[in-house]
Structure formats: C-alpha cells, structure tokens
Amino acid sequence: MPSPPRKTAKITAVGKYLPEKILTNFDLEKMMDTTDEWIRTRTGIIERHIVADGEATSHMATKAAEEVLRKRQIGADEIDCIIIATMTPDMIFPSTAALVQHQLGASKAWGFDLSAACSGFLFALDTGARMIQSGQYQKLLVVGADTMSSILDYTDRSTSILFGDGAGAVLLEPCEDGREGIIDSILRTDGIGSDSLYMEAGGSLHPASAETVANKQHYLRQDGRSVFKYAVKWMAEVSAELAARNGLKSKDIQLFIPHQANKRIIDASAERLGLSEDQVLSNIDRYANTTAATIPLGMADAIDQKRLKPGDNVLLAAFGAGFTWGAMYIRWGEVL
Ligand code: UT7
C-alpha cells in the first residue's frame, strides 16, 4: 500500500520591518578609525538601519508580523503560536513573544523566544514546522528580530561596523499533501565557539554591576577571524550535505538565501555549492548583519524582486554564535 502523503509546513506570507534611520559607512568614518573602503571590501556592507530611541525588538517584530497578517488578510486572533528568534530581547524576561502577542492582539496565541543567535530564525522555523506537522497548530508566526545596535560598542571598529537592526516574519500553515513547504533540514550546535562570539555580562554568570558596566562587558565581543573560519567551513558543509541528501544539484537550486554576515562568507558558500550569482540572495550591502532577521529579510526581498515562484527549490543556511549553524530545504509555494 502506498504510504500516505507526509504533511509539511508551508510559508504562506512574509513580512519585514526596517527602522527608518540609516547609518552609512561614511557616518561610521566620523565615529571611529575606519573607512568606507575597508568595510565595503572586507564585508560587502554599505549601510545599515538603526532603531529610533525607545524602539526595541518587540516593536520591530510586531511591525513585521502585522505585514504578514495584512498580506494574508487574517486577524491576529487566528494565530495559534508566536516564536520569536532573537538574541536581543526587549528584556531578559518576560519573553519578547509575550510582548509581541500583546502588541498584535493575538488573543488566542501562546509563544516563546528562541535563542540561537544568527541561526535563530532557522532553528525557529524548523521548530514551528514540526509544531504544524503535529496537527495541533494551523497558523504559526515565526519572527526573526534583533536590535543589534543595543549591544554594540561603537568604539570597537572590529564589531560595530558589522551589524544592523531589523525584523522579518513568516506565517506557517499546513500543506496536507506535502508537495511544498519545509522539506528537510540539518541543524547543529557546538559550544566550542562560546568564547569566540558572546556578550559576557547581564546573565546569571556575571550579573549586571557597576563593574561589568565599567568593563564594557554588556557589549558583543567577537574573535572575527575564528568565526570567519568556522562559518565558511561549516555553513558550506551543511548546505552541501543537505543538497546532496535531497538529490539537489547546483542547477536544481533556484535560490540560496544564506545568513548575511559577510559577503565573503556568502560567496565562499555559494562557490562550494557551485551556484552562480543569480542563484544567491545577498542584501548585506543595505542591511548589514541583522542576526536572526537576515533570512526572513532575504525572503521578503526575494519576493519583492520577483525572484521566487511556486515549485522553486530554495536553500537556506546560517551560522552564528554558539556556535550554531544549519541548512534548510524549502519547496516554495504561493507566498504573499
Ligand atoms: O553572524 C555572526 C557571525 N559573524 C561572522 O560571521 C563574522 C565573521 N568574521 C568576519 O566577517 C571578519 O573576520 C571581519 C569582517 C570581522 C574582519 O575581517 P578580517 O578580514 O578577518 O580582518 P581582521 O580581523 O583580520 O583585521 C585585519 C586588519 C587589522 O589590522 P592589522 O592588525 O592587520 O593592522 C584590524 O585591526 O583590519 C583592521 N580592522 C579595521 N580597519 C579598518 C578591523 N576592523 C577594521 C575597521 N576598519 N572597521
């Protein structure tokens, strides 16, 4: 007897939000010892968006989610669950998901935050897909949102130039015949990277004190070269492994949407997969690294630029603090 079709979770709408204020490389030249030329050639970044005073992760996440609801023409009360991937929550608790639930008016939703740094959206999308597949949920919001400017030391040129603020959101719904949606994924974590990219204080190990503030321990710290080395190797490896086990040759992949940390990392991963430039989504020039938001922002831009159509094979990949990394294969459908 043929096995029944495997239900999948499909993305039915994508929304994005970027704060109005733009910080260019030339603005940074005036703030620290750096140049537009260095930033452009070493990272591919030209400018990034930065939140206004009083604007935080929950506000950006809510705006991206509102766009999803608008496009899909559904009310917030139809949402069953909200997963927020972020490493810059408004507060350590309550969760940003609780704040977004309230701001949206999603009266029937429960939700939680998921912390996996730059891989957060990928991990959250996978988690949300499993929840949809369980049959218990019909409409689930997955949001990637980060206010990186809130944890950057703007006297440290090696980190502050790399990041920006933003949010992207998707709606997951069941696809009963499994013909489209999230087909497969490989996710990984290895704490070997815990001293390569971190924020030291403000947690239970080093609670906030006058001393932690004086020592600048509430800022992101990164050993860029080490992260670069692992990112190139492991993000490319996991993408290649996922493509191979799904029988995807380079010509079969219509769009690769990688995490946007450095144009050189994106190019190395694309090269390893044998992809040409038109098969790769890159928007790091305008947004920089928005951590959990890079992949949904990439999806939103791909839709706006009409680079996706139903039936396309889409590969996502991410690498970030932890280390965390992974890849996901999506068969694209009708996405608003
Ligand atoms: O998404 C989370 C994961 N994060 C990442 O994937 C980031 C991975 N790492 C990177 O993207 C790169 O390592 C960076 C962009 C952070 C740095 O690029 P790099 O080519 O590895 O530069 P470097 O750290 O080796 O520094 C080269 C030189 C140094 O000067 P010396 O020692 O050679 O004289 C730095 O002091 O560039 C200097 N430098 C800068 N110069 C001008 C570092 N930052 C800057 C700057 N402007 N902003």
Side-chain angles (χ1 to χ4, degrees):
M1 219 171 67
S3 55
R6 188 185 73 120
K7 174 164 46 182
T8 53
K10 61 179 178 182
I11 294 172
T12 54
V14 179
K16 72 172 182 183
Y17 175 77
L18 291 152
E20 228 169 86
K21 183 178 166 192
I22 290 175
L23 188 68
T24 67
N25 292 347
F26 295 107
D27 295 328
L28 290 169
E29 280 185 358
K30 293 178 203 130
M31 295 160 64
M32 63 189 79
D33 181 18
T34 190
T35 60
D36 170 62
E37 208 261 333
W38 192 96
I39 300 172
R40 246 178 229 255
T41 52
R42 296 289 182 120
T43 71
I45 299 164
I46 296 172
E47 60 187 32
R48 70 284 290 140
H49 292 251
I50 302 290
V51 289
D53 283 348
E55 194 175 28
T57 299
S58 72
H59 307 126
M60 295 196 294
T62 299
K63 288 196 167 114
E66 279 169 348
E67 191 185 4
V68 165
L69 299 181
R70 234 179 1 255
K71 281 184 170 178
R72 184 70 180 80
Q73 297 188 329
I74 56 171
D77 58 351
E78 291 180 60
I79 301 297
D80 303 312
C81 182
I82 302 167
I83 310 178
I84 309 277
T86 188
M87 59 177 239
T88 50
D90 289 27
M91 295 171 268
I92 287 189
F93 73 93
S95 69
T96 305
L99 306 176
V100 172
Q101 179 279 332
H102 187 63
Q103 288 169 34
L104 274 181
S107 53
K108 299 194 184 91
W110 70 286
F112 59 95
D113 290 5
L114 189 151
S115 167
C118 296
S119 308
F121 182 78
L122 214 52
F123 285 21
L125 195 56
D126 194 78
T127 305
R130 310 279 170 200
M131 290 170 67
I132 291 282
Q133 280 179 310
S134 77
Q136 206 174 333
Y137 303 99
Q138 302 303 313
K139 289 187 170 54
L140 193 146
L141 274 174
V142 180
V143 186
D146 269 301
T147 311
M148 296 307 292
S149 62
S150 67
I151 57 164
L152 292 177
D153 175 358
Y154 282 100
T155 65
D156 176 7
R157 68 178 183 173
S158 70
T159 54
S160 60
I161 55 117
L162 297 170
F163 297 92
D165 302 335
V170 303
L171 183 68
L172 282 181
E173 298 186 62
C175 174
E176 299 299 337
D177 63 15
R179 260 189 292 199
E180 59 190 58
I182 291 149
I183 307 294
D184 197 10
S185 61
I186 301 174
L187 307 177
R188 299 265 187 266
T189 297
D190 190 333
I192 190 179
S194 57
D195 58 0
S196 297
L197 182 48
Y198 57 91
M199 191 175 87
E200 202 167 17
S204 56
L205 184 60
H206 300 291
S209 67
E211 198 186 338
T212 60
V213 172
N215 291 340
K216 296 185 159 194
Q217 289 168 287
H218 296 271
Y219 291 126
L220 175 149
R221 293 285 171 232
Q222 173 174 252
D223 172 358
R225 277 184 212 183
S226 160
V227 178
F228 189 93
K229 198 179 72 191
Y230 281 104
V232 167
K233 183 169 159 40
W234 284 351
M235 195 165 91
E237 258 175 32
V238 82
S239 305
E241 186 185 339
L242 187 70
R245 86 176 185 194
N246 285 281
L248 293 172
K249 305 256 180 328
S250 48
K251 65 170 174 34
D252 304 321
I253 298 168
Q254 276 73 37
L255 198 61
F256 177 49
I257 308 182
H259 171 56
Q260 310 280 310
N262 187 317
K263 184 68 165 62
R264 291 184 290 145
I265 298 175
I266 296 169
D267 291 347
S269 302
E271 194 185 312
R272 169 84 190 268
L273 289 165
L275 302 175
S276 57
E277 215 172 295
D278 62 322
Q279 290 168 289
V280 182
L281 191 290
S282 173
N283 54 17
I284 190 170
D285 54 338
R286 287 172 295 134
Y287 307 151
N289 182 351
T290 53
T291 303
T294 57
I295 290 178
L297 285 174
M299 288 181 186
D301 282 1
I303 292 170
D304 290 347
Q305 293 160 14
K306 304 204 182 334
R307 290 179 71 178
L308 286 168
K309 57 179 188 322
D312 279 356
N313 294 314
V314 177
L315 203 60
L316 313 179
F319 186 90
F323 295 126
T324 54
W325 71 105
M328 182 179 278
Y329 165 35
I330 299 178
R331 200 168 304 123
W332 205 250
E334 291 286 355
V335 184
L336 299 164

